[in-house]
Amino acid sequence: MTSEFVRLEVADGVGTIRLDRPKAMNAISIQVQDELRVAAAEATARADVRAVVVWGGEKVFAAGNDVKEMSTMSYTDMVDRVEALQGAVNAIARIPKPVVAAVNGYALGGGCELALAADLRFAAENAVLGQPEVLLGIIPGAGGTQRLPRLIGPSRAKDLLYSGRFVKAEEALAIGLVDRVVPAADVYTEAVAWAARFATAAPYALRAIKESVDRGLEADLETGLQIERQHFSSVFATEDSRTGMQSFIENGPGKATFEGR
Ligand code: HXC
């Protein structure tokens, strides 16, 4: 499939999933959803992608799902489509590598949900986030009612979900919706710099951390600890664990060169 609006650009171990549909403020149409899934699969599969940045360019992250397209859909259309729609954002959330969203401008509705699927979010000083679906008489359908309360707590999430109000970068930082606020011109480069730290890290250890945290958060503590034990034991099967511990013994901390095996 040739992608028109979403592409994966790879440089120095970092893959950028770039949304590029400027005429519609990067609105996430069915085509964009399909292309996001393809890009996520490619970022997952490629060994030269060790970490991922999701970016919508300098002006806008994404103003939501495509309202014009959605407005023509019936209940049964949506029943048939909703799994693929949510699946596009889930595909980003399940990339087994560190993923950061770099948010310039608006991240609204499905755009905010896409940012929520990343491990963390860097926002421009001019970023505006929100879940305005209720103002359209609908609700978030790509994880907003689930990932948002898990991230910022149920009360704050309901405040945003009930009102549909927009949140500026400063407030987003204060409530934990974003993790870092930087000048607009620096968001992407800061996100790439964060991701680049993992280009030479031990990928199977990173993967085990991500799965332990994400799966563990879905479970009770005892189950989460069991998940952790499983992943902890399994990383001892990697060459990187031999390399990492041997390097520590011989040369001290943080000097290992990992092969990614
Ligand atoms: C389709 C959109 C769009 C969207 C903007 N546009 N957002 N088209 N879907 N979500 C289009 C406009 O229609 C317009 O097209 C052009 O982009 C520029 O938008 P303007 O409104 O003229 O720009 P501005 O005044 O700067 O306002 C920007 C804005 C506003 C604040 C982002 O456009 C806005 O509120 N957009 C909708 C936000 C929203 O409700 N998002 C949630 C969608 S529902 P023309 O052709 O007129 O130039 C959703 C559901 C998720 O995401 C649940 C399932 C995953």
Side-chain angles (χ1 to χ4, degrees):
M1 185 176 110
T2 312
S3 287
E4 186 181 1
F5 299 129
V6 183
R7 56 182 184 272
L8 178 71
E9 296 164 350
V10 182
D12 304 323
V14 176
T16 296
I17 294 179
R18 170 75 158 91
L19 265 76
D20 191 12
R21 198 187 169 209
K23 282 185 194 142
M25 301 199 86
N26 288 342
I28 304 169
S29 60
I30 287 173
Q31 183 181 336
V32 173
Q33 293 158 28
D34 291 342
E35 292 183 9
L36 274 172
R37 262 197 312 281
V38 171
E42 196 184 337
T44 298
R46 279 178 64 161
D48 60 339
V49 174
R50 305 290 280 268
V52 174
V53 178
V54 183
W55 191 44
E58 280 147 16
K59 296 210 171 82
V60 63
F61 186 73
N65 276 44
D66 192 321
V67 178
K68 290 165 192 167
E69 186 181 72
M70 273 194 311
S71 69
T72 66
M73 294 175 76
S74 68
Y75 166 71
T76 51
D77 289 339
M78 197 49 93
V79 168
D80 292 341
R81 184 66 209 173
V82 69
E83 212 151 314
L85 181 159
Q86 198 182 67
V89 172
N90 289 344
I92 300 293
R94 289 187 189 133
I95 295 171
K97 307 175 184 187
V99 178
V100 58
V103 178
N104 287 85
Y106 292 108
L108 300 173
C112 190
E113 292 172 299
L114 180 61
L116 288 169
D119 295 317
L120 64 167
R121 285 143 290 283
F122 290 0
E125 285 164 353
N126 69 354
V128 176
L129 297 96
Q131 299 286 168
E133 286 89 346
V134 74
L135 304 176
L136 303 167
I138 62 172
I139 73 168
T145 67
Q146 302 305 307
R147 291 195 179 96
L148 189 63
R150 280 168 172 75
L151 185 67
I152 65 172
S155 315
R156 284 172 174 153
K158 285 174 183 161
D159 172 43
L160 299 188
L161 294 163
Y162 289 162
S163 65
R165 73 183 176 84
F166 291 176
V167 173
K168 291 184 180 163
E170 197 184 330
E171 183 187 354
L173 184 65
I175 64 176
L177 179 52
V178 303
D179 302 278
R180 205 172 291 178
V181 176
V182 297
D186 301 338
V187 178
Y188 179 63
T189 45
E190 289 268 336
V192 169
W194 181 86
R197 291 161 55 188
F198 307 111
T200 53
Y204 291 98
L206 293 171
R207 182 186 183 116
I209 289 168
K210 184 159 179 167
E211 284 197 14
S212 298
V213 172
D214 289 351
R215 298 286 174 211
L217 277 174
E218 290 164 13
D220 61 275
L221 179 62
E222 198 38 61
T223 309
L225 291 168
Q226 165 66 20
I227 291 167
E228 183 185 77
R229 288 199 294 275
Q230 213 96 53
H231 281 296
F232 181 70
S233 308
S234 69
V235 288
F236 280 73
T238 64
E239 279 181 35
D240 288 345
S241 71
R242 305 292 110 200
T243 311
M245 289 188 276
Q246 200 55 39
S247 170
F248 170 79
I249 291 164
E250 287 168 11
N251 306 313
K255 301 211 176 62
T257 305
F258 294 110
E259 295 295 324
R261 286 199 292 267

